[in-house]
Amino acid sequence: MAVEDPMNDLIAKVSSYDIFINIIPGAVFVYFLSSAGLYTVQTDTLVGNLVIYYFMGLIISRIGSVIVEPSLRVVGFVKYNRYADFITASERDAKIQTLLEASNLYRTVIALILVCAIASSWDLITSWIIISKRAWILLGCAGLVALFLFSYRKQNGFIFKRVGHHTRKPEDV
């Protein structure tokens, strides 16, 4: 009987999407912080660093999804089809999923660049808005809660629409 290695199981569950949308942008951001002399974020282990990269990339990806994407939609820079049409087309054309992943990567890179710009300007920002370090931390935590609340709502909206698409009766169309 072979003993399973938890690390191999974890690596097997990491998709290419997670690597390109979360881990790589997170690693690039951590590298940017370090190389710009702003902040060093690292652990003593590869697994610890991967967790940090993933989490930082997840935050950056969510900024892209919850802030960048809606902003670009509002100004008319990007347009979307109805979600039901997207689901139907995706079922007929597998290439749409690949194109969507590429689109999400570009959105995440835009968010990464914006986050790097904010990080590099952080001293200037904190000199304009003078509050304690503890208040900045609390604001950061509140911002992350809000970011993930909106991400949660957006994801549940997709689930709701997808379930509705697959459970509607032909006479409902």
Side-chain angles (χ1 to χ4, degrees):
M1 176 188 246
V3 177
E4 292 186 28
D5 180 11
M7 179 57 84
N8 286 340
D9 290 344
L10 179 64
I11 291 170
K13 291 179 182 174
V14 175
S15 68
S16 62
Y17 186 83
D18 281 325
I19 292 169
F20 288 109
I21 301 297
N22 295 320
I23 296 173
I24 291 175
V28 169
F29 182 63
V30 168
Y31 177 78
F32 169 80
L33 290 175
S34 178
S35 66
L38 299 171
Y39 199 79
T40 301
V41 182
Q42 66 182 28
T43 68
D44 294 333
T45 66
L46 175 62
V47 173
N49 286 336
L50 286 173
V51 169
I52 289 172
Y53 301 159
Y54 183 86
F55 186 67
M56 297 299 269
L58 183 64
I59 292 169
I60 292 165
S61 172
R62 296 302 81 213
I63 289 170
S65 176
V66 172
I67 298 170
V68 172
E69 178 185 312
S71 299
L72 294 175
R73 286 176 80 171
V74 165
V75 299
F77 191 80
V78 292
K79 297 183 184 340
Y80 288 87
N81 296 96
R82 289 179 337 128
Y83 192 68
D85 294 340
F86 168 77
I87 294 170
T88 302
S90 294
E91 291 167 349
R92 295 179 184 159
D93 183 354
K95 182 88 171 166
I96 291 174
Q97 189 61 35
T98 303
L99 296 170
L100 176 65
E101 288 180 14
S103 176
N104 288 346
L105 173 62
Y106 301 147
R107 180 188 69 202
T108 299
V109 169
I110 294 165
L112 171 63
I113 294 166
L114 293 172
V115 169
C116 287
I118 291 168
S120 67
S121 305
W122 192 249
D123 287 341
L124 184 60
I125 293 167
T126 58
S127 72
W128 289 341
I129 306 169
I130 302 172
I131 57 176
S132 70
K133 184 177 181 179
R134 179 176 292 246
W136 277 116
I137 292 170
L138 290 172
L139 281 173
C141 289
L144 287 175
V145 167
L147 180 67
F148 282 96
L149 279 171
F150 282 104
S151 294
Y152 179 65
R153 182 175 75 177
K154 183 177 179 180
Q155 192 67 27
N156 276 315
F158 287 135
I159 294 166
F160 182 83
K161 289 177 186 176
R162 194 163 186 95
V163 168
H165 175 78
H166 288 291
T167 58
R168 71 174 188 249
K169 298 177 180 91
E171 64 270 9
D172 293 339
V173 177

